[in-house]
Amino acid sequence: MWFCAFSGAIKYKHTFKTQGDVFIMAKVYAVKVGRNTGVFNTWAECEAQVKGFGGAQYKSFKTVEEANEYLGVASQPAAKTEQRVNLSEALKLSQKTSDRLDVFVDGSYSNGRYAWSYVVYEGNNVVHQDSGVGTNPDAASMHNVAGELAAAMRAAKWAMSNKKYITIHHDYQGISSWVDGSWKAKNGMTKAYRDYMNAYTKIVSFNKVTGHTGIQGNELADKLARQALGI
């Protein structure tokens, strides 16, 4: 999956690859001198700009931020970049924003494994639910948070596929705070989550709830995540 954004006059692409259930930014290539300059997400694209071009200058980087630094271009915070996916056109939503569905997300962790789950409500009725076990060992270092991040991303993707507005109810603050920028995303997992979810802000809103207080949707999501791990 790739998203386009703009930084100054230089166009670049963000590429994410899935490892388990968390999107990780793949290697990017910065071309300082070539047929076209900027940040490219594959070697083939980079090579097309520099092969046979006298005096070409280019390097590979792990993040777009590092690549832009090499190019002398300041990266804008994700929350302030242009919307990467024009969801209003892609979805052609017929429902009103007030008709949002409620989605409860949660994660669980046990013995080095994490799980995710989300439950979709229309009024008091469950209309969809899904859960599973993550497979990314790096993500597992975030324990149950990794599962809740994966659940939120899957819920957003489900909403787009089904042309729905949703409110994600979560019990871990970072689920919304990494997206709105009130928490700074500091590692690859949280940066990838932030950038992925920022593409869905036109159809996804957030609501923080207190976990394990008897809220039906939260309790069900917690139960499904634990069941996925056999707990």
Side-chain angles (χ1 to χ4, degrees), residues 105 147-157 168 175 193 196-197 206:
V105 300
E148 198 160 345
L149 293 176
M153 290 191 291
R154 286 174 175 269
K157 184 177 180 180
I168 292 179
I175 299 302
Y193 169 76
Y196 183 86
M197 293 301 291
F206 297 93

Side-chain angles (χ1 to χ4, degrees), residues 5-222:
F6 290 87
S7 180
I10 296 178
K11 181 177 180 180
Y12 62 88
K13 295 177 181 178
H14 263 172
T15 298
F16 298 95
K17 60 184 179 181
T18 304
Q19 294 182 0
D21 300 295
V22 177
F23 285 75
I24 307 300
M25 189 177 294
K27 182 186 292 186
V28 295
Y29 301 86
V31 177
K32 184 178 287 187
V33 179
R35 293 181 181 86
N36 291 293
T37 60
V39 182
F40 299 87
N41 60 335
T42 67
W43 166 243
E45 291 175 319
C46 176
E47 185 180 32
Q49 313 311 319
V50 301
K51 187 175 182 180
F53 189 93
Q57 296 180 29
Y58 58 95
K59 289 181 68 175
S60 65
F61 297 91
K62 292 182 178 179
T63 68
V64 168
E65 287 78 12
E66 291 173 338
N68 277 329
E69 197 172 310
Y70 168 73
L71 294 173
V73 177
S75 296
Q76 295 178 327
K80 295 182 180 179
T81 57
E82 293 183 9
Q83 187 68 21
R84 295 177 177 83
V85 178
N86 191 340
L87 294 177
S88 60
E89 291 184 6
L91 296 176
K92 296 181 180 178
L93 295 166
S94 59
Q95 64 178 165
K96 298 178 181 179
T97 306
S98 58
D99 295 330
R100 287 180 181 273
L101 301 181
D102 294 298
V103 182
F104 290 84
V105 300
D106 211 349
S108 188
Y109 176 84
S110 178
N111 297 322
R113 300 166 67 233
Y114 68 94
W116 53 269
S117 70
Y118 68 94
V119 183
V120 183
Y121 281 85
E122 184 171 11
N124 294 321
N125 299 316
V126 175
V127 295
H128 181 73
Q129 64 185 47
D130 198 7
S131 61
V133 177
T135 58
N136 184 346
D138 294 327
S141 66
M142 296 184 70
H143 293 193
N144 59 305
V145 175
E148 198 160 345
L149 293 176
M153 290 191 291
R154 286 174 175 269
K157 184 177 180 180
W158 179 90
M160 185 179 73
S161 298
N162 289 276
K163 301 182 180 180
K164 303 292 185 182
Y165 290 103
I166 63 171
T167 296
I168 292 179
H169 302 274
H170 56 93
D171 58 27
Y172 183 74
Q173 184 64 49
I175 299 302
S176 57
S177 292
W178 279 316
V179 179
D180 64 26
S182 56
W183 281 18
K184 184 177 180 180
K186 296 181 179 179
N187 61 42
M189 309 294 176
T190 56
K191 287 178 181 178
Y193 169 76
R194 174 201 65 194
D195 292 347
Y196 183 86
M197 293 301 291
N198 272 331
Y200 293 87
T201 54
K202 286 188 177 181
I203 62 170
V204 175
S205 63
F206 297 93
N207 178 52
K208 171 71 169 64
V209 299
T210 302
H212 311 292
T213 57
I215 299 174
Q216 183 179 6
N218 178 257
E219 296 292 342
L220 179 54
D222 176 69

